[in-house]
Amino acid sequence: MKDIGVSAEELAALLDGRLDQSRRAELLASLGSSEEAIEAYANAASVISELEAGDTARSTAPSKAASRAHPRRLPAWSWLAMAAALAGVAVAPWLWTRARSVDRDDPSQFVGLVAPPGRALPPQWYGTPWPGTRGAGQPLTPTARATRLGVRLVDLDLAVRTHDSTVGQLTAEIVDLVEGLPAGSPVAAVYRDLGRRATAGEAPDALEPLLARGRGAATKLAGADLVQLGAWAEAGRLAAAQRNASFFQAQASRTMLARASGVPGLPEEARVLVQRLHSDLQAGAPRDWSGLERDFTELLKITGS
Amino acid sequence: MPPERQRLEALFLSQLGWIERVVAAVSRRNGLARDDADDFASWTTLRLIEDDYAVFRKFRGESALTTYLTVVIAMLFRDYRTHRWGRWRPSAAARRRGPLAVRLETLVYRDGLRLTQAGELLRTAGHTDLSDRQLGALLNELPIRQSGRPQQVASSGGADPPAIEEADDLVLADEVAMARKVIGDQLKRLPPEEQVMLRMRYWEGMTVVEVARGLGLPQKPLYRRLDRALADLRHFLEESGMSQEGLRAALTEWTN
């Protein structure tokens, strides 16, 4: 942060009215002579004012009848501020907020199709369809990272739901994957926390908000299309192992299948395989379940390598 | 993980909701397009967590943590803007007219788009339903700026300058810069609080409510204090020998 002659904390104390008279006067004199400081201060003061106005509007929202009885005239900016604050997630740009509002990109939509309540995971499900080791100097490609993330997000969701012992292993793997992404550290922190809490025995319901937050943020960071593809393919692999025809008939699965071959960054070999799966599955319910499981495993091997 | 890092990480996570609201508000106030706002959000997050959460480590508790983070993010925005666009910043007049005016001004003057292109972009992004003519009227209410982006001598057809006379614009821009400097000099003769008050109100385009909140002053008497301070400034400007025309131009640039 560039030095502008006054510290952020001093300016914050001024905004909070926590300075004594002499310190306040000194700081105002500094502000008066620094365009940079006053701009930062003005920006902060406007934002605080806007957010406080929004909070007040939320906490004191009158009933409709009361509003009609006491119409209140507010300057245009106040309406804007209140609208923005009330709209909340709709206008907030950052990935956390966006992630919460984009259901179509949520990899967990496939989890419910393969893990109805009470159904346990197949024994020893946790595995790596892609090669286990990579040589030195061979970082993961963005495609491989995003696909693997999609796979592990589904696995983790399932493991948490079924109290599977792989939760710690899965969160550690997700931490590794997201830490390799720009701005991934906060998301990694979410998964570390999740791993700690899950292994301490917290109930799946209590972990769901954390799962949703991490899932949304990780998806946005890595790229929704490929994470979705990885999640769908992992769920498809599991559905094939379960002989679960309803997964392939579900709208979410069919939609993903239809758009999978157009996902940017998909290797050509994977694209051909997806197109074949598309035509096979469109023909009706799968007959060769083992072959289908192999195809999904192969798809993950190609895209996750 | 060391306990101190764990504590700072937990502190950061506990403030995420506030951070995202502040980032959104700063982006909106400064007219960032959605992609730029996303980029600013990611960039800010990195700054907040880098060097093992140094921003959080430096906090001594002399203010509310939320206020401190708001100021930090406002300061970071200046760095971000300079890093992305050099010295460009929205005019006070555009800020007073709201996010649409800021965005329009940015597209036309900073990015060098024609009004029709800017209008198309704004409508497609759902920022407005206004026609080009209406947007043109709004643009005319804003001060004329020099483009923040180097212009090609021979345009390839896509980046025509705004529909205004360029030579006149440059002269006007010079006058405005000169007026701003003279005002800056004379402002120093006012008491510090009056200086800050006027700069916040007119230079930064803040509302009186925001100025009152920012300085912890009662709102009602502030209107009169602002008027008085502005009258004093006018008097100092006259004393400095500024012509009536220059004075009018300077104060118009400042207060419109």
Side-chain angles (χ1 to χ4, degrees):
Chain A
M1 204 156 44
K2 193 186 164 203
D3 182 13
I4 55 172
V6 285
S7 76
E9 194 152 2
E10 282 177 308
L11 291 180
L14 176 64
L15 256 176
D16 280 350
R18 291 195 190 178
L19 298 177
D20 60 36
Q21 281 303 317
S22 68
R23 187 71 197 104
R24 184 175 185 275
E26 271 176 44
L27 200 53
L28 285 176
S30 306
L31 272 181
S33 60
S34 165
E35 269 199 44
E36 291 168 324
I38 201 149
E39 189 198 348
Y41 188 71
N43 240 334
S46 289
V47 167
I48 292 261
S49 195
E50 175 184 328
L51 296 182
E52 283 176 352
D55 288 344
T56 308
R58 264 197 297 248
S59 64
T60 60
S63 67
K64 279 185 181 172
S67 302
R68 279 195 297 271
H70 302 285
R72 189 176 160 219
R73 288 182 62 81
L74 287 174
W77 74 268
S78 300
W79 290 113
L80 184 70
M82 285 198 325
L86 289 169
V89 296
V91 293
W94 199 40
L95 55 100
W96 296 98
T97 15
R98 184 182 284 189
R100 285 198 286 272
S101 63
V102 191
D103 288 335
R104 209 190 79 148
D105 290 342
D106 188 344
S108 72
Q109 63 180 310
F110 304 119
V111 174
L113 300 174
V114 288
R119 180 183 283 190
L121 279 172
Q124 299 179 327
W125 174 250
Y126 177 78
T128 49
W130 44 81
T133 54
R134 298 178 70 83
Q138 275 188 296
L140 277 182
T141 63
T143 298
R145 188 180 299 276
T147 309
R148 289 185 184 199
L149 201 48
V151 171
R152 290 311 182 216
L153 289 175
V154 165
D155 290 345
L156 178 65
D157 226 319
L158 290 166
V160 168
R161 286 178 191 217
T162 55
H163 297 285
D164 198 272
S165 60
T166 53
V167 167
Q169 203 173 350
L170 287 165
T171 49
E173 204 176 326
I174 292 173
V175 165
D176 272 353
L177 289 168
V178 294
E179 276 192 330
L181 295 165
S185 295
V187 189
V190 169
Y191 281 101
R192 272 194 217 99
D193 190 25
L194 212 152
R196 275 194 296 270
R197 289 168 58 178
T199 44
E202 258 189 60
D205 284 354
L207 296 174
E208 179 49 38
L210 208 55
L211 269 174
R213 168 165 275 213
R215 198 166 54 223
T219 302
K220 174 70 174 67
L221 276 184
D225 283 342
L226 283 162
V227 173
Q228 281 284 86
L229 182 78
W232 169 74
E234 177 68 347
R237 192 165 76 99
L238 180 57
Q242 293 170 333
R243 311 291 193 258
N244 176 358
S246 60
F247 172 85
F248 299 100
Q249 287 153 5
Q251 185 61 47
S253 177
R254 287 190 316 183
T255 304
M256 189 66 225
L257 180 61
R259 69 185 181 98
S261 64
V263 167
L266 195 65
E268 189 49 36
E269 206 182 343
R271 202 178 305 281
V272 172
L273 182 50
V274 165
Q275 281 163 351
R276 185 161 62 73
L277 276 169
H278 190 209
S279 52
D280 285 355
L281 289 168
Q282 267 196 327
R287 292 191 188 142
D288 177 8
W289 290 105
S290 304
L292 192 60
E293 188 182 341
R294 268 198 309 278
D295 281 348
F296 274 106
T297 305
E298 182 64 16
L299 177 60
L300 290 175
K301 190 173 166 187
I302 298 166
T303 47
S305 299
Chain B
M1 194 193 307
E4 175 60 2
R5 191 171 195 275
Q6 217 165 335
R7 183 187 73 80
L8 294 169
E9 189 174 282
L11 195 59
F12 167 74
L13 287 173
S14 71
Q15 295 301 315
L16 264 177
W18 179 258
I19 291 169
E20 68 192 27
R21 289 175 71 197
V22 172
V23 165
V26 169
S27 300
R28 199 164 44 245
R29 177 170 148 81
N30 291 280
L32 295 197
R34 177 177 283 234
D35 286 351
D36 292 333
D38 283 351
D39 188 49
F40 171 57
S42 302
W43 187 88
T44 301
T45 310
L46 278 178
R47 301 285 91 76
L48 292 177
I49 63 176
E50 72 186 0
D51 191 15
D52 276 348
Y53 301 91
V55 166
F56 288 84
R57 209 171 47 241
K58 284 179 191 162
F59 178 62
R60 298 183 304 270
E62 290 171 7
S63 68
L65 178 58
T66 47
T67 314
Y68 168 69
L69 288 173
T70 307
V71 175
V72 167
I73 292 169
M75 289 164 99
L76 285 174
F77 178 74
R78 292 196 73 264
D79 295 352
Y80 176 79
R81 195 185 56 208
T82 308
H83 158 76
R84 285 286 307 272
W85 300 295
R87 292 175 61 82
W88 168 267
R89 56 173 297 193
S91 68
R95 286 184 186 188
R96 274 195 293 279
R97 281 162 181 79
L100 176 63
V102 172
R103 191 82 201 100
L104 178 65
E105 181 186 58
T106 303
L107 288 171
V108 171
Y109 289 115
R110 188 193 72 197
D111 299 342
L113 298 189
R114 285 180 298 185
L115 180 63
T116 49
Q117 293 171 313
E120 190 60 40
L121 261 178
L122 289 168
R123 283 188 293 271
T124 307
H127 291 304
T128 184
D129 294 327
L130 296 185
S131 66
D132 287 347
R133 182 179 290 270
Q134 290 167 313
L135 288 173
L138 176 59
L139 191 62
N140 282 338
E141 293 174 13
L142 307 180
I144 295 162
R145 314 276 304 267
Q146 280 178 283
S147 173
R149 170 185 284 189
Q151 299 281 323
Q152 288 181 328
V153 175
S155 167
S156 57
D160 292 349
I164 37 184
E165 300 299 325
E166 217 169 277
D168 288 351
D169 297 350
L170 294 181
V171 172
L172 260 171
D174 280 350
E175 282 177 4
V176 165
M178 179 93 84
R180 181 174 266 244
K181 187 184 176 312
V182 175
I183 288 178
D185 291 343
Q186 296 305 318
L187 259 178
K188 289 177 189 156
R189 295 172 65 183
L190 293 172
E193 192 166 73
E194 262 64 16
Q195 286 182 43
V196 173
M197 211 184 274
L198 283 182
R199 281 180 186 271
M200 288 171 89
R201 175 76 181 99
Y202 297 114
W203 213 285
E204 299 298 331
M206 293 171 76
T207 64
V208 176
V209 179
E210 290 169 329
V211 177
R213 168 66 184 84
L215 293 175
L217 299 170
Q219 187 187 326
K220 221 171 170 184
L222 191 57
Y223 289 95
R224 189 163 292 174
R225 275 186 77 181
L226 278 165
D227 284 347
R228 255 201 320 269
L230 202 57
D232 287 346
L233 178 63
R234 175 185 284 271
H235 174 68
F236 293 146
L237 287 169
E238 282 168 352
E239 268 187 2
S240 75
M242 187 179 256
S243 68
Q244 281 299 316
E245 201 172 279
L247 183 63
R248 197 165 40 246
L251 290 175
T252 302
E253 143 72 1
W254 226 53
T255 55
N256 274 354

